[in-house]
Coordinates of all heavy atoms in Angstrom, one line a residue:
M1 N 9.8 16.6 -8.3 CA 9.3 17.9 -8.3 C 10.3 18.8 -7.7 O 10.7 18.6 -6.5 CB 7.9 17.9 -7.6 CG 7.3 19.3 -7.5 SD 5.9 19.3 -6.4 CE 6.7 19.8 -4.9
L2 N 10.6 19.8 -8.4 CA 11.6 20.8 -7.8 C 10.8 22.0 -7.4 O 9.9 22.5 -8.1 CB 12.6 21.2 -8.9 CG 13.7 22.1 -8.4 CD1 14.6 21.4 -7.4 CD2 14.5 22.6 -9.6
H3 N 11.0 22.4 -6.1 CA 10.3 23.6 -5.6 C 11.4 24.6 -5.3 O 12.3 24.4 -4.5 CB 9.5 23.3 -4.3 CG 8.8 24.5 -3.7 ND1 7.7 25.0 -4.2 CD2 9.2 25.2 -2.7 CE1 7.3 26.0 -3.5 NE2 8.2 26.2 -2.6
T4 N 11.2 25.9 -5.8 CA 12.1 27.0 -5.6 C 11.5 27.9 -4.5 O 10.3 28.3 -4.8 CB 12.4 27.7 -6.9 OG1 13.0 26.8 -7.8 CG2 13.4 28.8 -6.6
F5 N 12.2 28.2 -3.5 CA 11.6 29.1 -2.4 C 11.7 30.5 -2.9 O 12.7 30.9 -3.6 CB 12.4 28.9 -1.1 CG 12.3 27.5 -0.5 CD1 13.4 26.6 -0.5 CD2 11.1 27.1 0.0 CE1 13.3 25.4 0.0 CE2 11.0 25.8 0.5 CZ 12.1 25.0 0.5
K6 N 10.7 31.3 -2.5 CA 10.7 32.7 -2.9 C 11.9 33.4 -2.3 O 12.5 34.3 -2.9 CB 9.5 33.4 -2.4 CG 8.3 33.1 -3.3 CD 7.1 34.0 -3.0 CE 6.1 33.8 -4.0 NZ 5.0 34.9 -4.0
K7 N 12.3 33.0 -1.1 CA 13.6 33.5 -0.5 C 14.2 32.4 0.3 O 13.6 31.4 0.7 CB 13.3 34.7 0.5 CG 12.5 34.4 1.7 CD 12.3 35.7 2.6 CE 11.6 35.3 3.9 NZ 11.6 36.4 4.8
E8 N 15.5 32.5 0.5 CA 16.3 31.3 1.0 C 15.7 31.0 2.4 O 15.4 31.9 3.2 CB 17.7 31.7 1.2 CG 18.6 30.6 1.6 CD 20.1 30.9 1.5 OE1 20.5 32.0 1.3 OE2 20.9 29.9 1.6
F9 N 15.5 29.7 2.6 CA 14.9 29.2 3.8 C 16.0 28.4 4.6 O 16.8 27.7 4.0 CB 13.8 28.2 3.5 CG 13.2 27.4 4.6 CD1 12.5 28.0 5.6 CD2 13.4 26.0 4.7 CE1 12.0 27.3 6.7 CE2 12.9 25.3 5.8 CZ 12.2 26.0 6.8
F10 N 16.1 28.7 5.9 CA 17.1 28.1 6.8 C 16.4 27.1 7.7 O 15.4 27.4 8.4 CB 17.9 29.2 7.5 CG 18.8 30.0 6.7 CD1 18.3 31.2 6.0 CD2 20.1 29.6 6.4 CE1 19.1 31.9 5.2 CE2 20.9 30.4 5.6 CZ 20.4 31.5 5.0
F11 N 17.0 25.9 7.8 CA 16.6 24.9 8.7 C 17.8 24.2 9.2 O 18.6 23.7 8.4 CB 15.7 23.9 7.9 CG 15.1 22.8 8.8 CD1 14.1 23.0 9.6 CD2 15.6 21.5 8.7 CE1 13.6 22.0 10.4 CE2 15.1 20.5 9.5 CZ 14.1 20.7 10.4
E12 N 17.9 24.1 10.5 CA 19.0 23.5 11.2 C 20.4 24.0 10.6 O 21.2 23.2 10.2 CB 18.9 22.0 11.1 CG 17.7 21.5 11.9 CD 17.6 19.9 11.9 OE1 18.3 19.3 11.2 OE2 16.7 19.5 12.7
D13 N 20.5 25.3 10.5 CA 21.7 26.0 10.1 C 22.1 25.7 8.7 O 23.3 25.9 8.3 CB 22.9 25.6 11.1 CG 22.6 26.1 12.5 OD1 22.0 27.2 12.7 OD2 23.0 25.4 13.4
K14 N 21.2 25.2 7.8 CA 21.5 25.0 6.4 C 20.5 25.9 5.6 O 19.3 25.9 5.9 CB 21.4 23.5 6.1 CG 21.7 23.2 4.6 CD 21.7 21.7 4.3 CE 22.0 21.5 2.8 NZ 21.8 20.1 2.5
G15 N 21.0 26.5 4.6 CA 20.2 27.3 3.8 C 19.7 26.6 2.5 O 20.4 25.8 1.9
Y16 N 18.4 26.8 2.2 CA 17.8 26.1 1.0 C 17.2 27.2 0.1 O 16.4 28.0 0.5 CB 16.7 25.2 1.4 CG 17.1 24.0 2.3 CD1 17.3 24.1 3.6 CD2 17.3 22.8 1.7 CE1 17.7 23.1 4.4 CE2 17.8 21.7 2.5 CZ 17.9 21.8 3.8 OH 18.3 20.8 4.6
K17 N 17.6 27.1 -1.2 CA 17.0 28.0 -2.2 C 16.0 27.3 -3.0 O 15.1 27.8 -3.5 CB 18.1 28.6 -3.1 CG 19.0 29.5 -2.4 CD 20.0 30.1 -3.4 CE 20.9 31.1 -2.6 NZ 21.9 31.7 -3.4
E18 N 16.2 25.9 -3.0 CA 15.2 25.1 -3.7 C 15.3 23.7 -3.0 O 16.3 23.4 -2.3 CB 15.5 25.0 -5.2 CG 16.8 24.4 -5.6 CD 17.1 24.4 -7.1 OE1 16.4 25.2 -7.8 OE2 18.0 23.7 -7.5
I19 N 14.3 22.9 -3.3 CA 14.3 21.5 -2.8 C 13.7 20.6 -3.8 O 12.8 20.9 -4.5 CB 13.5 21.5 -1.4 CG1 13.6 20.1 -0.8 CG2 12.1 21.9 -1.6 CD1 13.1 20.0 0.6
D20 N 14.4 19.4 -3.9 CA 13.9 18.4 -4.8 C 13.0 17.5 -4.0 O 13.4 17.0 -2.9 CB 15.0 17.6 -5.4 CG 14.5 16.5 -6.4 OD1 13.4 16.8 -7.1 OD2 15.1 15.5 -6.6
I21 N 11.8 17.3 -4.4 CA 10.8 16.4 -3.7 C 10.4 15.4 -4.7 O 9.4 15.6 -5.5 CB 9.6 17.2 -3.2 CG1 10.0 18.4 -2.3 CG2 8.6 16.3 -2.5 CD1 9.0 19.3 -1.9
P22 N 11.1 14.2 -4.8 CA 10.8 13.2 -5.8 C 9.5 12.4 -5.5 O 9.6 11.2 -5.2 CB 12.0 12.3 -5.8 CG 12.6 12.5 -4.4 CD 12.2 13.9 -4.0
L23 N 8.4 13.0 -5.6 CA 7.1 12.4 -5.4 C 6.8 11.2 -6.2 O 6.2 10.2 -5.7 CB 5.9 13.4 -5.6 CG 5.9 14.6 -4.6 CD1 5.0 15.7 -5.1 CD2 5.5 14.1 -3.2
D24 N 7.4 11.1 -7.4 CA 7.2 10.0 -8.3 C 7.9 8.7 -7.8 O 7.6 7.6 -8.3 CB 7.6 10.3 -9.7 CG 8.9 10.9 -9.9 OD1 9.5 11.4 -8.9 OD2 9.5 10.9 -11.0
N25 N 8.7 8.9 -6.8 CA 9.4 7.7 -6.2 C 8.5 7.1 -5.1 O 8.9 6.0 -4.6 CB 10.8 8.1 -5.6 CG 11.8 8.4 -6.6 OD1 11.6 8.1 -7.8 ND2 12.9 9.1 -6.2
L26 N 7.5 7.7 -4.6 CA 6.6 7.2 -3.6 C 5.8 6.0 -4.2 O 5.3 6.1 -5.3 CB 5.7 8.2 -3.0 CG 6.3 9.3 -2.2 CD1 5.3 10.3 -1.8 CD2 7.1 8.8 -1.0
T27 N 5.7 4.9 -3.4 CA 4.9 3.8 -3.9 C 3.5 3.8 -3.2 O 3.3 4.6 -2.3 CB 5.6 2.5 -3.5 OG1 5.6 2.4 -2.0 CG2 7.0 2.4 -4.0
G28 N 2.7 3.0 -3.7 CA 1.4 2.8 -3.0 C 1.5 2.5 -1.5 O 0.8 3.0 -0.7
A29 N 2.5 1.6 -1.2 CA 2.7 1.3 0.2 C 3.2 2.5 1.0 O 2.8 2.7 2.2 CB 3.8 0.2 0.3
D30 N 4.0 3.4 0.4 CA 4.4 4.6 1.0 C 3.2 5.5 1.3 O 3.1 6.0 2.4 CB 5.4 5.4 0.2 CG 6.7 4.7 0.0 OD1 7.2 3.9 0.9 OD2 7.3 4.8 -1.1
I31 N 2.4 5.6 0.4 CA 1.2 6.5 0.5 C 0.3 5.9 1.6 O -0.2 6.7 2.5 CB 0.4 6.6 -0.8 CG1 1.2 7.3 -1.9 CG2 -0.9 7.4 -0.6 CD1 1.6 8.7 -1.6
N32 N 0.1 4.6 1.7 CA -0.7 4.0 2.7 C -0.1 4.3 4.1 O -0.8 4.6 5.1 CB -0.9 2.5 2.5 CG -1.8 2.2 1.4 OD1 -2.7 3.0 1.1 ND2 -1.7 1.0 0.8
R33 N 1.2 4.1 4.2 CA 1.9 4.4 5.5 C 1.8 5.8 5.9 O 1.5 6.2 7.1 CB 3.4 4.0 5.4 CG 4.3 4.3 6.6 CD 5.7 4.0 6.4 NE 6.3 4.5 5.1 CZ 6.6 5.7 4.9 NH1 6.5 6.6 5.8 NH2 7.1 6.1 3.7
I34 N 2.0 6.7 5.0 CA 1.8 8.2 5.2 C 0.4 8.5 5.7 O 0.2 9.2 6.7 CB 2.2 9.0 3.9 CG1 3.7 8.9 3.6 CG2 1.8 10.5 4.1 CD1 4.0 9.3 2.2
Q35 N -0.6 7.9 5.0 CA -2.0 8.2 5.4 C -2.3 7.7 6.8 O -3.0 8.3 7.6 CB -2.9 7.6 4.4 CG -4.4 8.0 4.6 CD -5.2 7.6 3.4 OE1 -4.8 7.0 2.5 NE2 -6.5 8.1 3.5
K36 N -1.7 6.5 7.2 CA -1.9 6.0 8.5 C -1.3 6.9 9.6 O -1.9 7.2 10.6 CB -1.3 4.6 8.6 CG -2.2 3.5 7.9 CD -1.5 2.2 8.0 CE -2.3 1.2 7.2 NZ -1.7 -0.1 7.1
Q37 N -0.1 7.4 9.3 CA 0.6 8.4 10.2 C -0.2 9.6 10.3 O -0.4 10.2 11.4 CB 2.0 8.7 9.7 CG 3.0 7.6 9.7 CD 4.3 7.9 9.1 OE1 4.4 8.9 8.3 NE2 5.3 7.1 9.3
W38 N -0.7 10.1 9.2 CA -1.5 11.4 9.2 C -2.8 11.2 10.0 O -3.1 12.1 10.7 CB -1.7 11.7 7.7 CG -2.6 12.9 7.4 CD1 -2.3 14.2 7.5 CD2 -3.9 12.8 6.9 NE1 -3.4 15.0 7.1 CE2 -4.4 14.1 6.8 CE3 -4.8 11.8 6.6 CZ2 -5.6 14.4 6.3 CZ3 -6.0 12.1 6.1 CH2 -6.5 13.4 6.0
R39 N -3.4 10.1 9.8 CA -4.7 9.9 10.5 C -4.4 9.6 12.0 O -5.2 10.0 12.9 CB -5.5 8.7 9.9 CG -6.0 9.0 8.6 CD -7.3 8.3 8.2 NE -7.8 9.0 7.0 CZ -8.5 8.4 6.1 NH1 -8.8 7.1 6.3 NH2 -8.9 9.1 5.1
A40 N -3.3 8.9 12.3 CA -3.0 8.7 13.7 C -2.7 10.1 14.5 O -2.9 10.1 15.7 CB -1.7 7.8 13.8
A41 N -2.3 11.1 13.7 CA -2.1 12.4 14.3 C -3.5 13.1 14.5 O -3.4 14.3 14.8 CB -1.2 13.2 13.4
G42 N -4.6 12.5 14.2 CA -5.9 13.0 14.4 C -6.5 13.7 13.2 O -7.5 14.4 13.3
N43 N -5.9 13.5 12.0 CA -6.4 14.2 10.8 C -7.4 13.3 10.1 O -7.3 12.0 10.1 CB -5.2 14.5 9.9 CG -4.3 15.4 10.5 OD1 -4.6 16.6 10.7 ND2 -3.1 15.0 10.7
M44 N -8.3 13.9 9.4 CA -9.3 13.2 8.6 C -9.8 14.1 7.5 O -10.0 15.3 7.6 CB -10.5 12.8 9.5 CG -11.6 12.0 8.8 SD -10.9 10.3 8.4 CE -11.0 9.5 9.9
A45 N -9.9 13.5 6.3 CA -10.5 14.2 5.1 C -11.0 13.1 4.2 O -10.4 12.1 4.1 CB -9.4 15.1 4.5
V46 N -12.0 13.5 3.4 CA -12.6 12.6 2.5 C -11.6 12.3 1.4 O -11.4 11.2 0.9 CB -13.9 13.1 1.9 CG1 -14.4 12.2 0.8 CG2 -15.0 13.3 3.0
V47 N -10.9 13.4 0.9 CA -9.8 13.3 -0.1 C -8.5 13.8 0.5 O -8.3 15.0 0.5 CB -10.3 14.0 -1.3 CG1 -9.2 13.9 -2.4 CG2 -11.6 13.6 -1.9
P48 N -7.8 13.0 1.1 CA -6.5 13.4 1.9 C -5.6 14.3 1.0 O -5.0 15.3 1.5 CB -5.9 12.1 2.3 CG -7.0 11.1 2.4 CD -7.9 11.5 1.3
V49 N -5.5 14.0 -0.3 CA -4.6 14.8 -1.1 C -5.0 16.3 -1.2 O -4.2 17.1 -1.6 CB -4.4 14.1 -2.5 CG1 -5.6 14.4 -3.4 CG2 -3.1 14.6 -3.2
L50 N -6.2 16.6 -0.8 CA -6.6 18.0 -0.8 C -6.3 18.7 0.5 O -6.5 19.9 0.6 CB -8.1 18.1 -1.1 CG -8.6 17.6 -2.5 CD1 -10.1 17.7 -2.7 CD2 -7.8 18.4 -3.6
D51 N -5.8 18.0 1.5 CA -5.4 18.5 2.7 C -3.9 18.9 2.7 O -3.0 18.1 2.4 CB -5.7 17.5 3.8 CG -5.3 17.9 5.2 OD1 -6.3 18.5 5.8 OD2 -4.2 17.8 5.7
A52 N -3.6 20.2 3.1 CA -2.3 20.7 3.1 C -1.4 19.9 4.0 O -0.2 19.5 3.6 CB -2.2 22.1 3.5
E53 N -1.8 19.5 5.1 CA -0.9 18.7 6.0 C -0.6 17.3 5.5 O 0.5 16.9 5.6 CB -1.6 18.6 7.4 CG -0.6 18.0 8.4 CD -1.2 18.1 9.9 OE1 -2.3 18.5 10.1 OE2 -0.4 17.7 10.8
F54 N -1.6 16.7 4.8 CA -1.3 15.4 4.2 C -0.2 15.6 3.1 O 0.7 14.8 3.0 CB -2.6 14.8 3.6 CG -2.3 13.5 2.9 CD1 -2.1 12.3 3.6 CD2 -2.2 13.4 1.5 CE1 -1.9 11.1 3.0 CE2 -2.0 12.2 0.9 CZ -1.8 11.0 1.6
C55 N -0.4 16.6 2.4 CA 0.6 16.9 1.3 C 2.0 17.2 1.9 O 3.0 16.8 1.3 CB 0.2 18.1 0.4 SG -1.3 17.7 -0.6
A56 N 2.0 17.8 3.1 CA 3.3 18.1 3.7 C 3.9 16.7 4.2 O 5.1 16.5 4.1 CB 3.1 19.0 4.9
Y57 N 3.1 15.8 4.7 CA 3.6 14.5 5.1 C 4.2 13.8 3.9 O 5.3 13.2 4.0 CB 2.4 13.6 5.6 CG 2.2 13.7 7.1 CD1 1.6 14.9 7.6 CD2 2.4 12.7 7.9 CE1 1.3 15.0 9.0 CE2 2.1 12.7 9.3 CZ 1.6 13.9 9.8 OH 1.3 14.0 11.2
C58 N 3.5 13.9 2.7 CA 4.0 13.2 1.5 C 5.4 13.9 1.1 O 6.3 13.2 0.7 CB 3.0 13.4 0.4 SG 1.5 12.3 0.6
A59 N 5.4 15.2 1.1 CA 6.6 15.9 0.7 C 7.8 15.5 1.6 O 8.9 15.3 1.2 CB 6.4 17.4 0.8
A60 N 7.5 15.4 3.0 CA 8.6 15.1 3.9 C 9.1 13.6 3.6 O 10.3 13.4 3.6 CB 8.0 15.1 5.3
A61 N 8.2 12.7 3.3 CA 8.6 11.3 3.0 C 9.4 11.3 1.8 O 10.5 10.6 1.7 CB 7.4 10.4 3.0
A62 N 9.0 12.0 0.7 CA 9.6 11.9 -0.6 C 11.0 12.6 -0.5 O 12.0 12.1 -1.1 CB 8.8 12.6 -1.6
A63 N 11.1 13.7 0.2 CA 12.4 14.5 0.3 C 13.3 13.9 1.4 O 14.4 14.3 1.5 CB 12.1 15.9 0.6
K64 N 12.7 13.0 2.2 CA 13.5 12.4 3.3 C 14.0 13.5 4.3 O 15.1 13.5 4.7 CB 14.7 11.5 2.8 CG 14.2 10.4 1.9 CD 15.4 9.4 1.6 CE 15.0 8.3 0.7 NZ 13.7 7.8 0.5
L65 N 13.0 14.3 4.6 CA 13.2 15.4 5.6 C 12.2 15.3 6.7 O 11.1 14.8 6.4 CB 13.2 16.8 4.9 CG 14.3 17.2 4.0 CD1 13.9 18.4 3.2 CD2 15.6 17.5 4.8
P66 N 12.4 15.8 7.8 CA 11.4 15.7 8.9 C 10.3 16.7 8.6 O 10.4 17.7 7.9 CB 12.2 16.2 10.1 CG 13.3 17.0 9.6 CD 13.7 16.4 8.3
L67 N 9.1 16.3 9.0 CA 7.9 17.1 8.8 C 8.1 18.6 9.3 O 7.6 19.5 8.7 CB 6.7 16.5 9.5 CG 5.3 17.2 9.4 CD1 4.9 17.2 7.9 CD2 4.3 16.5 10.2
E68 N 8.9 18.7 10.3 CA 9.2 20.1 10.9 C 9.8 21.0 9.9 O 9.6 22.2 9.9 CB 10.1 19.9 12.1 CG 9.4 19.3 13.3 CD 9.3 17.7 13.2 OE1 10.1 17.1 12.4 OE2 8.5 17.1 13.8
F69 N 10.6 20.4 8.9 CA 11.2 21.3 7.9 C 10.0 22.1 7.2 O 10.1 23.2 7.0 CB 11.9 20.4 6.9 CG 12.5 21.1 5.7 CD1 13.8 21.6 5.7 CD2 11.7 21.4 4.6 CE1 14.3 22.3 4.6 CE2 12.2 22.0 3.5 CZ 13.5 22.5 3.5
F70 N 9.0 21.4 6.8 CA 7.9 22.0 6.1 C 7.0 22.8 7.0 O 6.5 23.9 6.5 CB 7.1 20.9 5.3 CG 7.9 20.1 4.4 CD1 8.6 19.0 4.7 CD2 8.1 20.6 3.1 CE1 9.4 18.3 3.9 CE2 9.0 20.0 2.2 CZ 9.6 18.8 2.6
E71 N 6.9 22.4 8.2 CA 6.0 23.2 9.1 C 6.7 24.5 9.5 O 6.0 25.4 9.9 CB 5.7 22.4 10.4 CG 4.9 21.2 10.1 CD 4.6 20.3 11.3 OE1 5.5 20.2 12.2 OE2 3.6 19.7 11.4
R72 N 7.9 24.7 9.4 CA 8.6 25.9 9.7 C 8.7 26.9 8.5 O 9.1 28.0 8.7 CB 10.0 25.6 10.2 CG 10.0 25.0 11.5 CD 11.3 24.9 12.2 NE 11.3 24.1 13.4 CZ 12.3 23.5 14.0 NH1 13.5 23.7 13.5 NH2 12.2 22.8 15.1
L73 N 8.2 26.5 7.4 CA 8.1 27.4 6.3 C 7.1 28.5 6.6 O 6.2 28.3 7.4 CB 7.6 26.7 5.0 CG 8.5 25.7 4.4 CD1 7.8 24.9 3.3 CD2 9.8 26.3 3.9
S74 N 7.2 29.7 5.9 CA 6.2 30.7 6.1 C 4.9 30.2 5.6 O 4.8 29.2 4.8 CB 6.5 32.0 5.3 OG 6.4 31.7 3.9
G75 N 3.8 30.7 6.1 CA 2.4 30.2 5.7 C 2.3 30.2 4.2 O 1.8 29.3 3.6
Q76 N 2.7 31.3 3.5 CA 2.6 31.4 2.1 C 3.4 30.4 1.4 O 2.9 29.7 0.5 CB 3.0 32.8 1.6 CG 2.8 33.0 0.1 CD 3.3 34.3 -0.4 OE1 4.4 34.8 0.1 NE2 2.6 34.9 -1.3
E77 N 4.7 30.2 1.8 CA 5.5 29.2 1.2 C 5.0 27.8 1.4 O 5.0 26.9 0.5 CB 6.9 29.3 1.7 CG 8.0 28.6 0.9 CD 8.2 29.3 -0.5 OE1 8.6 30.4 -0.5 OE2 8.0 28.6 -1.5
Y78 N 4.5 27.5 2.6 CA 3.9 26.2 3.0 C 2.8 25.9 2.0 O 2.7 24.8 1.5 CB 3.5 26.2 4.4 CG 2.8 25.0 4.9 CD1 3.6 23.9 5.4 CD2 1.4 24.8 5.0 CE1 2.9 22.7 5.8 CE2 0.8 23.7 5.5 CZ 1.6 22.6 5.9 OH 1.0 21.5 6.4
L79 N 1.9 26.9 1.8 CA 0.7 26.6 1.0 C 1.1 26.5 -0.5 O 0.5 25.7 -1.2 CB -0.3 27.7 1.2 CG -1.0 27.6 2.6 CD1 -2.0 28.8 2.8 CD2 -1.8 26.3 2.7
R80 N 2.1 27.3 -0.9 CA 2.6 27.2 -2.3 C 3.1 25.8 -2.6 O 2.8 25.1 -3.6 CB 3.7 28.2 -2.6 CG 3.3 29.6 -2.9 CD 4.5 30.5 -3.2 NE 5.2 30.1 -4.4 CZ 6.5 29.8 -4.5 NH1 7.3 29.9 -3.5 NH2 7.0 29.4 -5.6
L81 N 3.9 25.3 -1.6 CA 4.5 24.0 -1.8 C 3.5 22.8 -1.7 O 3.5 22.0 -2.5 CB 5.6 23.8 -0.7 CG 6.5 22.6 -0.9 CD1 7.9 22.8 -0.4 CD2 5.9 21.4 -0.1
T82 N 2.6 22.9 -0.7 CA 1.6 21.8 -0.5 C 0.6 21.8 -1.7 O 0.2 20.8 -2.1 CB 0.9 21.9 0.8 OG1 0.3 23.2 1.0 CG2 1.9 21.6 1.9
Q83 N 0.4 23.0 -2.3 CA -0.5 23.0 -3.5 C 0.2 22.3 -4.6 O -0.5 21.6 -5.4 CB -0.9 24.5 -3.8 CG -1.9 24.6 -5.0 CD -3.2 23.9 -4.7 OE1 -3.8 24.2 -3.7 NE2 -3.6 23.0 -5.5
K84 N 1.5 22.5 -4.8 CA 2.2 21.8 -5.9 C 2.2 20.3 -5.7 O 2.0 19.6 -6.7 CB 3.7 22.3 -5.9 CG 3.8 23.7 -6.6 CD 5.2 24.2 -6.5 CE 6.1 23.5 -7.4 NZ 7.5 24.2 -7.5
V85 N 2.3 19.9 -4.4 CA 2.2 18.4 -4.2 C 0.8 17.9 -4.5 O 0.6 16.9 -5.2 CB 2.5 18.1 -2.7 CG1 2.2 16.7 -2.3 CG2 3.9 18.5 -2.3
A86 N -0.3 18.6 -4.1 CA -1.6 18.2 -4.5 C -1.8 18.2 -6.0 O -2.4 17.2 -6.5 CB -2.6 19.2 -3.8
D87 N -1.3 19.2 -6.7 CA -1.4 19.3 -8.1 C -0.7 18.1 -8.8 O -1.2 17.5 -9.8 CB -0.8 20.6 -8.7 CG -1.7 21.8 -8.3 OD1 -2.8 21.6 -7.9 OD2 -1.1 22.9 -8.4
F88 N 0.5 17.7 -8.2 CA 1.2 16.6 -8.8 C 0.3 15.3 -8.7 O 0.2 14.6 -9.7 CB 2.5 16.4 -8.0 CG 3.2 15.1 -8.3 CD1 4.1 15.1 -9.4 CD2 3.0 13.9 -7.6 CE1 4.8 13.9 -9.7 CE2 3.7 12.7 -8.0 CZ 4.6 12.8 -9.0
F89 N -0.3 15.1 -7.6 CA -1.1 13.9 -7.4 C -2.4 13.9 -8.2 O -2.9 12.9 -8.6 CB -1.4 13.6 -6.0 CG -0.2 13.1 -5.2 CD1 0.2 13.7 -4.1 CD2 0.4 11.9 -5.6 CE1 1.3 13.3 -3.4 CE2 1.5 11.5 -4.9 CZ 2.0 12.1 -3.8
L90 N -2.9 15.1 -8.4 CA -4.3 15.2 -9.1 C -4.1 15.4 -10.6 O -5.1 15.5 -11.3 CB -5.0 16.3 -8.5 CG -5.4 16.1 -7.0 CD1 -6.1 17.4 -6.4 CD2 -6.4 14.9 -6.9
A91 N -2.9 15.6 -11.1 CA -2.7 15.9 -12.5 C -3.3 14.8 -13.4 O -3.1 13.6 -13.2 CB -1.2 16.0 -12.9
A92 N -4.1 15.2 -14.4 CA -4.7 14.2 -15.3 C -3.7 14.0 -16.5 O -3.0 14.9 -16.9 CB -6.0 14.7 -15.8
D93 N -3.7 12.8 -17.0 CA -2.9 12.5 -18.1 C -3.5 13.0 -19.4 O -4.6 13.1 -19.6 CB -2.6 11.0 -18.3 CG -1.7 10.5 -17.2 OD1 -0.8 11.3 -16.8 OD2 -1.7 9.3 -16.9

């Protein structure tokens, strides 16, 4: 999944205009590990994929970037990106 930022985003002195988040590379084992980390941080939801923070955890794992990368996005950009992640997982064939 390619995400294009509305405006260039800087993280650790590097600018990003877009980011590739290969969610399709995540395995079931990866999702289980991510969910355990997310729950260990005190999170809980009946359907985790509908939770923005869970989606950020998935994006971080898929993009091989720290969670802080996503947490430092503007609120609007964070929600745009995490919604795209949720849509990816919930897409019907």
